[in-house]
Amino acid sequence: DAGVIQSPRHEVTEMGQEVTLRCKPISGHNSLFWYRQTMMRGLELLIYFNNNVPIDDSGMPEDRFSAKMPNASFSTLKIQPSEPRDSAVYFCASSPLAGSPNEQYFGPGTRLTVT
Amino acid sequence: SQKIEQNSEALNIQEGKTATLTCNYTNYSPAYLQWYRQDPGRGPVFLLLIRENEKEKRKERLKVTFDTTLKQSLFHITASQPADSATYLCALATYGGSQGNLIFGKGTKLSVKP
């Protein structure tokens, strides 16, 4: 298995532009997580899905952020409009069983820079 | 307020020694705790999971302890090697809320010198 796949790996955009990050979880995994990592705040959960349904989006910082999971093999995280403070590394992770204490498998991340 | 603290931002040790990393938490009732390794430019990689009713878990040169009275987990790497150099993150999952929701510490950067 290729593991969790994220694209793009790097994104540089100007303030005000829309940014879409993409994730393909490991086949057969039922849970998908979006995280943001910065030096100041560490790794923070933004939202997570079980069986394609959003379960907890309390970590989404504001309405500019939205996430979708239209099917079991694809998810997007969109920021519109982007701001410089959104600059961070965004990770997608998947986990085998919904609602179980399983390990999470992380993708390589997308490094977002908003100028 | 709820807090997860990893004892230090950086830990430097000599090859062959045992590295001990600490994860302390306050105002949580964790159901289980996980440890991850993160290398520069990469996502975290799962190492070990320990449940609240387990005192200790081992995997090869790794050992994790979990003391719910002290609200602390210790992560040990015995016979450390330069290849063990990385950032190590602890993560808690609590009762209630959404199962699978992990709260991560900021990590401890371990450097093992040859």
Side-chain angles (χ1 to χ4, degrees):
Chain A
D1 199 318
V4 175
I5 298 172
Q6 291 187 247
S7 65
R9 292 295 310 277
H10 302 274
E11 177 82 32
V12 180
T13 191
E14 289 184 349
M15 178 176 168
Q17 297 297 306
E18 175 182 305
V19 174
T20 299
L21 311 181
R22 296 172 176 79
C23 175
K24 177 179 167 52
I26 292 172
S27 177
H29 282 193
N30 298 107
S31 296
L32 183 140
F33 307 82
W34 282 102
Y35 290 90
R36 177 172 68 177
Q37 188 173 41
T38 61
M39 289 292 291
M40 285 290 292
R41 300 174 67 90
L43 195 62
E44 301 174 285
L45 178 69
L46 299 176
I47 185 170
Y48 96 92
F49 297 82
N50 274 353
N51 298 315
N52 312 337
V53 176
I55 302 299
D56 185 353
D57 66 354
S58 59
M60 296 285 261
E62 41 195 281
D63 292 345
R64 298 185 296 106
F65 286 69
S66 62
K68 293 182 180 178
M69 192 164 185
N71 57 62
S73 59
F74 184 65
S75 177
T76 59
L77 178 68
K78 185 181 291 187
I79 308 172
Q80 180 185 21
S82 58
E83 296 183 3
R85 60 192 167 122
D86 301 330
S87 297
V89 181
Y90 290 81
F91 288 103
C92 175
S94 68
S95 187
L97 291 172
S100 297
N102 288 287
E103 63 267 32
Q104 296 184 12
Y105 295 76
F106 283 77
T110 296
R111 181 173 294 277
L112 173 65
T113 303
V114 183
T115 59
Chain B
S1 63
Q2 296 175 320
K3 247 194 245 182
I4 300 174
E5 289 182 337
Q6 295 192 239
N7 58 325
S8 57
E9 287 188 11
L11 180 65
N12 300 311
I13 64 166
Q14 206 66 34
E15 183 177 8
K17 301 292 186 186
T18 296
T20 299
L21 285 64
T22 306
C23 179
N24 294 298
Y25 59 91
T26 54
N27 297 325
Y28 284 112
S29 295
Y32 59 91
L33 187 146
Q34 300 184 7
W35 283 87
Y36 287 77
R37 169 183 172 140
Q38 187 173 21
D39 291 284
R42 293 177 168 252
V45 174
F46 171 80
L47 296 174
L48 282 167
L49 180 154
I50 186 165
R51 298 173 190 269
E52 61 156 357
N53 60 350
E54 297 175 317
K55 296 294 183 191
E56 184 179 296
K57 263 289 183 61
R58 290 176 186 261
K59 180 182 175 183
E60 297 171 353
R61 294 185 296 112
L62 308 181
K63 184 177 88 171
V64 172
T65 62
F66 195 8
D67 189 327
T68 55
T69 302
L70 291 179
K71 296 186 184 297
Q72 182 181 80
S73 174
L74 298 179
F75 177 80
H76 306 273
I77 306 175
T78 58
S80 60
Q81 304 165 1
D84 295 326
S85 298
T87 296
Y88 291 86
L89 305 169
C90 70
L92 298 180
T94 59
Y95 287 115
S98 307
Q99 284 185 311
N101 185 345
L102 289 178
I103 303 142
F104 281 84
K106 288 189 179 177
T108 295
K109 184 175 180 180
L110 174 67
S111 296
V112 181
K113 310 279 187 208

